[in-house]
Amino acid sequence: MILRALTLAGGLAGATASSQFPEFSQQYIQRLGGAVDALSGVVADFDASAAAVGLSRNDALAQMQGTDFLERRRKDMTVTFDRYARLRSDLDLLKRQGPFMRAYHMPNLTDPEIARAAWAEYQPAVPLNFAGAVFAAVGFVMGLAVLGIVLRILSWPFRRRPADPAMGA
């Protein structure tokens, strides 16, 4: 009886947690869009400065050497360009997806800065739409299964074994 109650609690916890994914992923995408917008301004400014002196982005980066500051700035800009490309690609993919396909593309929701910012502002809510209900149902089944398996494994050494008829009656 206790194991069933605990398993049910695991299912409810799974349902509660997974039903939040559609809204959290929506908030993540909004933050992702803001980050892409901010980085696009930095990238455009660098590219415009390079173009003003007749250089491509790569040529301008190659000329940023000779002092510790310029080396550091070149590395920072390279990281910025790489992050911009990755985030823009993620945004292009994710903004066209519904909640089920966003779950499929979950590896594209992994930028730590954006995830932290989205989580800091996120307010859990009861989802009253189809996607929230489906995610809740999947989470419930997964929670039931995972906690049920864990509890069965943990209780296995304590199970009563049937008496062996060969041991004499």
Side-chain angles (χ1 to χ4, degrees), residues 57-120:
R57 180 187 299 170
N58 289 334
D59 292 338
L61 285 171
Q63 286 191 12
M64 296 176 79
Q65 54 186 333
T67 67
D68 290 341
F69 174 76
L70 286 176
E71 288 289 331
R72 175 65 188 242
R73 192 67 189 139
R74 180 179 55 78
K75 288 177 186 174
D76 290 344
M77 289 309 297
T78 301
V79 168
T80 298
F81 295 140
D82 292 344
R83 184 168 188 246
Y84 172 70
R86 181 175 44 84
L87 294 182
R88 184 172 171 203
S89 173
D90 288 349
L91 181 63
D92 289 344
L93 173 70
L94 293 170
K95 72 181 179 182
R96 298 186 317 257
Q97 308 299 325
F100 301 111
M101 288 306 292
R102 285 195 304 261
Y104 177 76
H105 292 291
M106 201 177 314
N108 297 87
L109 289 114
T110 56
D111 185 79
E113 289 178 42
I114 294 171
R116 267 192 301 276
W119 185 252

Side-chain angles (χ1 to χ4, degrees), residues 29-45 80 83-85 87-88 91-92 95 114:
I29 291 169
Q30 289 173 353
R31 294 260 176 194
L32 179 61
V36 168
D37 288 346
L39 288 173
S40 71
V42 173
V43 169
D45 184 54
T80 298
R83 184 168 188 246
Y84 172 70
L87 294 182
R88 184 172 171 203
L91 181 63
D92 289 344
K95 72 181 179 182
I114 294 171

